[in-house]
Amino acid sequence: MSTGNDRPLRLLLIIISVLFILLMLVTPLVVILVEAFRSGLEAYTKAVTDPYALKALKLTGLATVAAVVLNTAFGLAAAWAITRFSFRGKGLLTTFIDIPFAVSPIIAGLVFILTFGRLSYLHPFLAAHELKVVFATPGIILATVFVTLPFVAREIIPVLEARGTDEEQAAALMGAGFLTIFRRITFPHIRWALLYSVILCAARAMGEFGAVSVVSGHLRGKTNTLPLHVEILYNEYQFTAAFAVSSVLVAAAIFILVARNIVEFTARKESDYVR
Amino acid sequence: MKKILALSLGLAAFIGVALAGSLQAAELEITNVSYDPTRELYDSYNKAFQKYWKGAKGQEVTIVQSHGGSGKQARAVIEGNEADVVTLALAYDITEIEKAGLIKPGWQKEFPSNSSPYTSTIVFLVRKGNPKALKDWGDLAKDGVGIITPNPKTSGGARWNYLAALAWADKQYKGDQKAVKDFITKVFKNVLVLDTGARGSTNTFVQNGQGDVLLAWENEAYLAIKEKPGEYEIITPSLSILAEPPVAIVDEVVAKRGTQELATEYLKYLYSDDGQRIAGKNYYRPSNPEIAKEFANVFDLKVNLVNIDDPLFGGWDKVQAEHFNDGGVFDQIYTPPAK
């Protein structure tokens, strides 16, 4: 490919990429940090330790953990089922897993309102059992789980497919049970893919805005996640506080990116999982 | 493998504890679902009410606030966002909640002054020196004027904006319906950005520097001036509208939660001298004329205001059906700018 006179092209492509990244990613990040500390460290600390901010942080953490745990369990089960068994409707299941990627988060939120809201068919049952789904914590969790549903399954299916089933069949022939096979053969192959997908899932869950905004009802201190809290602060002329809280989300994102790179690096060194 | 199992068990336990923690909150609490520009008003009012309640009853009370476009907020209450009280931008949005069965009919007679403890009006916020020389509604239809207003479909303030323009045009063109419609069409052709709520529009105008004029609640305009002194001017048009943002108890919710007394006192206290002064300080016109006089140096109390029940409008039900429902006049005159 390298023929000597593609140097100008190479240079041009590199310049375009670097400039684009600088303009689109680095500058906004710098702006967030500058704005966050504009009124000094004291104002920053006050904004991020404000009781409403802490409650929002707690809710975002809860929704993220729930999304990761539920989607890991679901993703493993679905990936295993799809790659190891043949059954009617397999193609349909595979397609359905992708729906959250295709549907706008706003629509997802509205669907939950229509399913669990006061005007839904389920409402009399929910009200009779004093269950609140939308405009309460379960709704926030549900919306977050929905938008992050495909991550784990999507990451693990190709790995399992590439491995084939030979080793597992051999183990089964030798009398190993399901759990032994999963623990000793399948899991070691997918662990890096799994970790990688969990990291992506967590990143997406933390930042989710659209679907959560619809089901939240914006009850301060109750159904406000961190991204929603940023919007509220911005709307209340508390710009420094808005950027300070944003910087917490940015820090979490950077932490996740670093973790992702470590995972990728270690995985490449240690196993056959290559992205 | 064992580590992973232990880890997931730990996470599950954490979720369990967190959920249990959120369930045990059985303290005295009410939720106030309000519209967009009342954020600062209820921030200070809630503190005053908490102090008052502590003094009168010796109880700590938590007030959960929610803000957004008035129509959107009403929708959320109808869909199950449990508000003990609603304090919205206009009566129609509360009537919608009433129609959904959450509020008993007659709510607007439950508290004084049409259940509106404070009123406001619509003014123009322009950039310092008024570079486009915008003095009255007629100037908004001129070519090259960039207008910022929220969307009448989702925002209460935006509906007041629209109706104020309509009232002026009706007087100006002496009831010539075609001329009035042409005027409104021209005004909305000049709209650059339609946000969903009043505060979104203010941010578009103030923070993002878009447009020449913001059609705004009087209180919202004063607040913008307070935030950025010396950068803006308020223009009071020759005629505007008396905007009555009413309050109501959501009967279904207070019955379920047993918060009837607290919710009633919460809204009643808005009419106390203390509550009225807090409204005035946040640039809402107190409904008590005596207290309003204390703010005579802030508000132009003599401005010519028409009321929603004026024969021109005939009340919210008529106005909503004629202008703002799908296929109504607003849909006919407004086409989103082609970009």
Side-chain angles (χ1 to χ4, degrees), chain A residues 235-273:
Chain A
N235 276 339
E236 292 181 356
Y237 297 106
Q238 304 183 38
F239 300 112
T240 309
F243 283 108
V245 176
S246 304
S247 76
V248 174
L249 280 170
V250 169
I254 289 173
F255 175 77
I256 280 178
L257 276 181
V258 171
R260 194 199 72 167
N261 281 359
I262 293 173
V263 167
E264 260 186 2
F265 181 73
T266 326
R268 213 172 278 148
K269 253 178 39 183
E270 206 179 281
S271 80
D272 47 359
Y273 169 60

Side-chain angles (χ1 to χ4, degrees), chain B residues 69-122:
Chain B
S70 185
K72 192 181 94 181
Q73 293 289 75
R75 198 66 233 160
V77 171
I78 293 169
E79 298 281 5
N81 195 9
E82 289 184 355
D84 298 87
V85 298
V86 285
T87 53
L88 294 178
L90 41 83
Y92 184 80
D93 288 333
I94 300 185
T95 307
E96 283 293 288
I97 304 174
E98 175 202 317
K99 284 182 196 153
L102 284 148
I103 296 176
K104 288 178 201 141
W107 59 269
Q108 209 161 9
K109 297 277 164 271
E110 213 167 313
F111 296 98
S113 314
N114 281 330
S115 286
S116 305
Y118 40 80
T119 65
S120 192
T121 186
I122 300 300

Side-chain angles (χ1 to χ4, degrees), chain B residues 78-262:
Chain B
I78 293 169
E79 298 281 5
N81 195 9
E82 289 184 355
D84 298 87
V85 298
V86 285
T87 53
L88 294 178
L90 41 83
Y92 184 80
D93 288 333
I94 300 185
T95 307
E96 283 293 288
I97 304 174
E98 175 202 317
K99 284 182 196 153
L102 284 148
I103 296 176
K104 288 178 201 141
W107 59 269
Q108 209 161 9
K109 297 277 164 271
E110 213 167 313
F111 296 98
S113 314
N114 281 330
S115 286
S116 305
Y118 40 80
T119 65
S120 192
T121 186
I122 300 300
V123 297
F124 306 165
L125 189 69
V126 297
R127 302 192 188 280
K128 188 81 197 161
N130 196 2
K132 295 266 162 111
L134 307 168
K135 294 276 176 235
D136 209 348
W137 291 101
D139 299 326
L140 300 186
K142 284 183 190 159
D143 287 341
V145 174
I147 302 174
I148 307 293
T149 168
N151 188 342
K153 295 270 185 182
T154 53
S155 156
R159 274 171 269 176
W160 291 118
N161 291 346
Y162 176 100
L163 295 175
L166 199 71
W168 177 86
D170 188 75
K171 198 174 158 217
Q172 183 74 11
Y173 301 113
K174 304 197 169 52
D176 176 353
Q177 286 309 305
K178 191 178 172 308
V180 170
K181 208 166 160 180
D182 283 349
F183 167 75
I184 299 280
T185 308
K186 269 194 208 148
V187 167
F188 273 88
K189 268 217 175 85
N190 282 341
V191 171
L192 297 179
V193 185
L194 272 188
D195 288 287
T196 55
R199 189 52 62 85
S201 283
T202 311
N203 275 336
T204 299
F205 185 75
V206 172
Q207 290 300 320
N208 306 342
Q210 299 238 44
D212 304 305
V213 54
L214 172 74
L215 306 187
W217 290 100
E218 183 177 52
N219 51 281
E220 191 72 358
Y222 274 109
L223 198 62
I225 285 191
K226 192 175 138 200
E227 287 297 323
K228 304 244 168 165
E231 289 186 35
Y232 303 100
E233 280 176 33
I234 291 177
I235 305 289
T236 310
S238 64
L239 183 139
S240 197
I241 195 150
L242 173 73
E244 292 180 311
V247 300
I249 294 169
V250 183
D251 299 298
E252 188 182 284
V253 175
V254 294
K256 193 173 122 192
R257 291 189 176 173
T259 45
Q260 174 82 42
E261 191 202 351
L262 178 59

Side-chain angles (χ1 to χ4, degrees), chain A residues 54-89:
Chain A
L54 290 178
K55 278 188 176 168
L57 179 68
K58 201 173 140 197
L59 182 59
T60 295
L62 177 68
T64 305
V65 169
V68 166
V69 171
L70 288 174
N71 285 331
T72 303
F74 162 78
L76 282 175
W80 182 285
I82 285 167
T83 56
R84 294 298 181 256
F85 302 105
S86 79
F87 52 93
R88 212 181 260 261

Side-chain angles (χ1 to χ4, degrees), chain A residues 42-117:
Chain A
E42 201 177 312
Y44 181 89
T45 321
K46 200 172 156 239
V48 292
T49 55
D50 172 84
Y52 286 129
L54 290 178
K55 278 188 176 168
L57 179 68
K58 201 173 140 197
L59 182 59
T60 295
L62 177 68
T64 305
V65 169
V68 166
V69 171
L70 288 174
N71 285 331
T72 303
F74 162 78
L76 282 175
W80 182 285
I82 285 167
T83 56
R84 294 298 181 256
F85 302 105
S86 79
F87 52 93
R88 212 181 260 261
K90 188 166 140 175
L92 206 62
L93 179 65
T94 319
T95 315
F96 265 68
I97 290 176
D98 278 340
I99 284 183
F101 277 166
V103 169
S104 155
I106 303 280
I107 308 290
L110 281 177
V111 166
F112 285 123
I113 299 259
L114 295 176
T115 316
F116 299 106

Side-chain angles (χ1 to χ4, degrees), chain A residues 52 62 65-66 69 113 117-119 132 135 182-183 187 217-220 222 232 234-237 239, chain B residues 1 15 18 29 31 39 64-67 75-76 78-82 100 102 199 202-203 207 227 252:
Chain A
Y52 286 129
L62 177 68
V65 169
V69 171
I113 299 259
R118 196 180 146 271
L119 303 180
K132 256 184 90 56
F135 307 113
F182 180 78
R183 201 163 54 104
F187 184 75
H218 305 280
L219 301 171
R220 207 167 301 197
K222 297 214 127 179
I232 285 192
Y234 182 77
N235 276 339
E236 292 181 356
Y237 297 106
F239 300 112
Chain B
M1 185 63 200
I15 292 180
E29 178 188 283
T31 300
R39 296 161 188 273
V64 179
Q65 279 296 139
S66 169
H67 296 276
R75 198 66 233 160
I78 293 169
E79 298 281 5
N81 195 9
E82 289 184 355
L102 284 148
R199 189 52 62 85
T202 311
N203 275 336
Q207 290 300 320
E227 287 297 323
E252 188 182 284

